[in-house]
Amino acid sequence: MHITLVDDSLPFDASTSASQPLGGAEKSFAALPGALVRRGHTVRVFNRCHWGLESEGARWETLDSATRFSPTDVLIAFRKPALLEFVRQAQRRVLWTTAPVRTLEKKSTQALLEAHRPALVFTSESQRQAWRGNPTLPVMVLPPAVNEAYRKERASDRVQTPRAIVTTNPTHGLAEVLNVWIGQVLPQVPEAELHIYSIGLHQALRGEAASPDLLALAGRIAQLPTVSVLYPRGDDAMAEAYRQAWVHLYPSHDDDQTAFTLLESQATGLAAVVGARGAGLSRIENGRTGYAVPDWEAFGNVTAMMLGNEAIVREIGLEAKARAKGWSWDAAAAALESLLS
């Protein structure tokens, strides 16, 4: 089968996430082509890469490449419904979306869905459950998958000092995390430390331009000696950061329909405390690989309990790693293939 994938967002290619931070959506888009090639398909990728290249058997090309006009068996448009028209001759079309499904309710998007009748590929079960659109369109949820850096068979490198890690958008609950950290966690585990990975906060603390919300958060964090803000890194380095931590604090948000970093941390064997909303709920097995909590008081109590008990953290981490063992892109590609056959 000849498969064409197209994305119109950031400049990246299949190797970018190995050396620098990249969003989970972009990493997913970069990982799928190679997995499809391994299943015997011919794959072309069009995006904002700086030049054409071949990676894992897939051909990556710039958006303005003349070969975009070549016909294809399947066109996979990533995130932007308008990309369903990127290739004129396609036997089948797929819209792979990571956004809240309400973004598909626009009249212009509805017209595109009606005109091309694509299969819809969602990233989480919460997306599929929220979908109330055309019931005749084929729908699937792509199985969880993470890059190999997170799935390596390696023992935990957990540091001696209890360490929590946060990776989500700072405006999606970080202020509340800081509240429970100060008010509930530190009184019970005073030696605990909190590591926050955020490009925006890192820039704000360095005096670079930032939104008022980020500046306010940065000002609070600067007064907290147990809290550090770090610049996100490539896959190998982030996998190591997860292996060193005790717990992943994931406050969750209704608009977070992917929880990509939670998938990655679970695959390394890191326990989690997750807010009971958005995609985070489907990324853990409650009570076994982490805890989904109903409110901020519970969030703080469970966090303190886990940071004060390494045995529990170790047991939950082993369960998380075992559950994530099959989260390969090869498995995800096989599931997608079943939708296309």
Side-chain angles (χ1 to χ4, degrees):
M1 194 182 305
H2 192 289
I3 301 176
T4 300
L5 296 93
V6 58
D7 169 65
D8 183 12
S9 59
L10 307 171
F12 66 93
D13 56 49
S15 63
T16 300
S17 68
S19 59
Q20 65 187 65
L22 191 66
E26 290 79 15
K27 284 198 276 190
S28 298
F29 181 86
L32 183 60
L36 290 170
V37 169
R38 289 191 290 274
R39 296 196 61 79
H41 303 291
T42 300
V43 181
R44 291 184 308 169
V45 183
F46 293 91
N47 80 331
R48 293 190 178 276
C49 59
H50 296 296
W51 47 75
L53 57 94
E54 186 168 307
S55 179
E56 298 183 292
R59 181 64 189 172
W60 287 66
E61 303 191 44
T62 60
L63 288 171
D64 58 0
S65 171
T67 60
R68 63 169 290 188
F69 298 105
S70 302
T72 189
D73 296 320
V74 178
L75 170 66
I76 300 177
F78 191 53
R79 295 188 289 196
K80 291 186 178 180
L83 294 177
L84 289 167
E85 298 186 329
F86 184 79
V87 174
R88 181 172 299 176
Q89 298 181 55
Q91 294 183 21
R92 297 200 62 184
R93 298 175 196 265
V94 174
L95 177 60
W96 179 9
T97 180
T98 61
V101 295
R102 68 171 183 274
T103 62
L104 302 180
E105 296 173 358
K106 299 177 182 178
K107 288 185 178 180
S108 58
T109 299
Q110 289 293 313
L112 286 167
L113 297 181
E114 184 61 31
H116 298 293
R117 302 192 60 77
L120 299 179
V121 173
F122 295 129
T123 310
S124 68
E125 189 60 38
S126 60
Q127 278 179 303
R128 176 159 64 180
Q129 292 177 0
W131 171 244
R132 299 290 184 271
N134 189 331
T136 66
L137 296 180
V139 172
M140 75 166 289
V141 176
L142 201 66
V146 297
N147 290 350
E148 291 304 307
Y150 303 98
R151 299 176 63 245
K152 289 179 180 177
E153 290 297 330
R154 284 188 50 188
S156 171
D157 297 327
R158 192 175 300 113
V159 294
Q160 185 173 1
T161 302
R163 178 183 296 171
I165 190 169
V166 175
T167 59
T168 45
N169 186 321
T171 63
H172 289 178
L174 181 57
E176 289 80 4
V177 170
L178 293 175
N179 289 341
V180 301
W181 186 259
I182 297 167
Q184 293 174 258
V185 177
L186 289 181
Q188 299 181 61
V189 194
E191 72 275 21
E193 57 187 29
L194 177 63
H195 285 194
I196 301 168
Y197 283 85
S198 167
I199 293 176
L201 272 177
H202 192 269
Q203 292 172 335
L205 284 166
R206 290 169 57 89
E208 300 178 29
S211 69
D213 287 343
L214 285 184
L215 289 173
L217 284 171
R220 287 189 66 189
I221 291 168
Q223 306 302 314
L224 300 173
T226 63
V227 180
S228 301
V229 173
L230 301 99
Y231 197 89
R233 296 173 285 174
D235 285 334
D236 286 334
M238 286 307 301
E240 184 61 23
Y242 292 138
R243 293 188 182 99
Q244 291 177 353
W246 286 43
V247 63
H248 190 173
L249 304 184
Y250 203 90
S252 298
H253 190 276
D254 288 334
D255 280 352
D256 180 3
Q257 298 298 315
T258 57
F260 286 123
T261 58
L262 185 54
L263 283 177
E264 292 170 345
S265 69
Q266 287 273 287
T268 67
L270 179 59
V273 180
V274 179
R277 37 198 310 210
L281 279 172
S282 64
R283 301 314 195 196
I284 66 165
E285 188 174 349
N286 191 25
R288 293 180 64 88
T289 72
Y291 292 98
V293 295
D295 53 44
W296 287 111
E297 182 178 4
F299 196 100
N301 288 336
V302 173
T303 299
M305 179 272 293
M306 296 177 74
L307 289 174
N309 193 322
E310 186 178 7
I312 291 178
V313 169
R314 184 186 307 112
E315 180 181 353
I316 292 176
L318 290 173
E319 288 282 353
K321 189 167 183 62
R323 180 173 181 257
K325 192 171 184 179
W327 290 356
S328 71
W329 279 105
D330 288 337
L336 178 60
E337 186 180 64
S338 68
L339 177 71
L340 302 177
S341 60

